[in-house]
Amino acid sequence: MVVVGIASKIYEAMGIQSWLPNIISNSESMSKSRHDHTMDRGYINTSPAESSIIDENYISWLKEHPSAISSFQQIINTSKGKQIAVFLDYDGTLSPIVCDPNRAFMSEQMRAAVREVSKHFPTAIISGRSREKVYSFVKLNDVYYSGSHGMDTMGPAPKNKSYDHHDNADKYHYKTIDEEGNEFITFQPAKDFIPAIEKMLIELKERTKNIKGVVIEDNRFCLSVHYRHVKDEEYETLEEEVKSVLINYPDRFHMTRGKKVMEIRPSIEWNKGHALEYLLHNLGFDNSRNLLPIYIGDDRTDEDAFKVLRERGDGFPIVVASKPRETMAFHSLHDPSEVLSFLIRLGRWGFDNNADSILA
Ligand SMILES: O=P(O)(O)OC[C@H]1O[C@H](O[C@H]2O[C@H](CO)[C@@H](O)[C@H](O)[C@H]2O)[C@H](O)[C@@H](O)[C@@H]1O
């Protein structure tokens, strides 16, 4: 394939381990200004001529968003005297995009790499999935988890604030203590929306039951309507059904789009960027210049977190993308296999330099 051939050459020239073709995500474009669900299907066949145009664009895009692997030393140099903290998206970042959302498993190698990183640096996974679901895939205890696009975030308890289960002003927070006595705070700013979400889930299942291929995923504080297996001619019907459910909740919910998925989300001002700020705050680093946050993600929703890092003026937002796209990220990684290489290198550097997570 032309794309693989040319990109491998560039990577060879940069001294980077060549990448394996990804399962699906490589052909997914996120840079469209107008939504086109057929373009968004991820199975687009490109002719060799088209591939080579895409490739040239990718090569020039890479100049603006250089590989985080080839820039690894620069990233590390910037971290001198600072605490690195690592934030990771799940789907398309730690696991490849696959056809069945329930089978987006993470490889053992990736798990080992994240485990090693988390030994040396505070590490969090911020996903669109429910927090419980993403934990069931990752299965690592020394990592913080934020689910439902940041609307369900479990982080360290900040030292200077106490939380009381019975304090109504703080009904969105609750405290848990693990077996080792560590305190965690879970923040669920969309808690009031749960009854409506549960009702919507029933309505959506009922309205879409005759559309073959639809998968509705309950992400607790948001819902995902997957249409990867829906026939093109049925897509509009599905979209109409989703909209007709939404119309009953004016101003309370809205729809966003991801990779072959429509997502219903509470209309509150809270996203992955806010979850990132929340975690940084609880770690004691909100305005700190002593921190170097690294955020790696492939989704549109990760752009909110990239923006936070840009606005802070520190840290490294890294986009996972195999095609040029508009992004607030500075650096890029081609696919999850490159994410793996980057994390292995970071973990090794943490080990060699005795970098200990402040949580250890
Ligand atoms: O924030 P993320 O961790 O990236 O989650 C975003 C959505 O990811 C999942 O859907 C996507 O990945 C599936 C598995 O590879 C794929 O089948 C689907 O087409 C993609 O849209 C997840 O299922 C959603 O709930 C998340 O919101």
Side-chain angles (χ1 to χ4, degrees), residues 89 91 97-98 127-128 217 219 224 226 228 259 263 272:
D89 167 53
D91 288 280
I97 295 294
V98 293
S127 171
E217 192 181 1
N219 288 331
S224 290
H226 293 275
R228 197 173 278 284
K259 294 179 174 177
E263 302 202 274
K272 287 187 176 186

Side-chain angles (χ1 to χ4, degrees), residues 48-196:
E50 281 167 337
S51 295
S52 116
I53 293 166
I54 290 169
D55 219 33
E56 278 171 29
N57 291 339
Y58 183 66
I59 293 165
S60 58
W61 180 84
L62 263 184
K63 288 185 190 142
E64 286 162 39
H65 306 282
S67 159
I69 298 178
S70 56
S71 307
F72 186 79
Q73 200 48 50
Q74 180 215 335
I75 294 174
I76 288 305
N77 292 345
T78 316
S79 80
K80 287 238 163 70
K82 295 183 179 188
Q83 166 74 57
I84 292 177
V86 180
F87 300 89
L88 303 161
D89 167 53
Y90 185 74
D91 288 280
T93 298
L94 295 181
S95 72
I97 295 294
V98 293
C99 293
D100 180 353
N102 292 315
R103 300 191 59 79
F105 303 120
M106 186 175 169
S107 69
E108 278 308 322
Q109 266 184 312
M110 186 66 95
R111 184 168 297 106
V114 177
R115 184 187 289 115
E116 189 59 27
V117 164
S118 71
K119 282 186 194 162
H120 307 294
F121 317 109
T123 301
I125 296 174
I126 305 183
S127 171
R129 298 202 184 238
S130 74
R131 186 162 52 85
E132 290 78 11
K133 185 76 166 274
V134 77
Y135 175 77
S136 77
F137 281 138
V138 178
K139 297 190 193 93
L140 292 173
N141 287 334
D142 293 329
V143 165
Y144 300 120
Y145 293 88
S146 176
S148 311
H149 293 296
M151 284 180 277
D152 187 6
T153 302
M154 189 171 179
K159 305 254 175 321
N160 53 355
K161 192 168 169 133
S162 68
Y163 289 95
D164 183 343
H165 288 280
H166 308 292
D167 177 359
N168 198 38
D170 250 334
K171 66 176 176 175
Y172 305 110
H173 293 88
Y174 67 89
K175 184 166 76 179
T176 41
I177 301 177
D178 72 7
E179 287 158 4
E180 285 151 27
N182 301 309
E183 284 191 2
F184 297 93
I185 293 297
T186 301
F187 182 44
Q188 298 176 331
K191 207 171 184 175
D192 297 339
F193 292 78
I194 291 251

Side-chain angles (χ1 to χ4, degrees), residues 9 14 33 129-130 147-148 205 212 230 248-249 275 292:
K9 279 187 193 129
M14 288 173 159
S33 51
R129 298 202 184 238
S130 74
S148 311
K205 283 188 174 164
K212 213 168 155 229
V230 172
N248 297 326
Y249 302 84
L292 190 94

Side-chain angles (χ1 to χ4, degrees), residues 22-26 28 30 88-98 101 104-106 110 125-129 134 137 228 259 272 296-300 302 318-322 325 333-340:
N22 199 358
I23 298 180
I24 291 174
S25 61
N26 291 0
E28 284 175 320
M30 301 284 284
L88 303 161
D89 167 53
Y90 185 74
D91 288 280
T93 298
L94 295 181
S95 72
I97 295 294
V98 293
F105 303 120
M106 186 175 169
M110 186 66 95
I125 296 174
I126 305 183
S127 171
R129 298 202 184 238
V134 77
F137 281 138
R228 197 173 278 284
K259 294 179 174 177
K272 287 187 176 186
I296 310 179
D298 75 312
D299 212 53
R300 271 176 229 196
D302 296 311
I318 301 171
V319 66
V320 183
S322 54
R325 59 176 260 199
L333 290 166
H334 188 270
D335 55 28
S337 69
E338 281 206 359
V339 175
L340 175 64

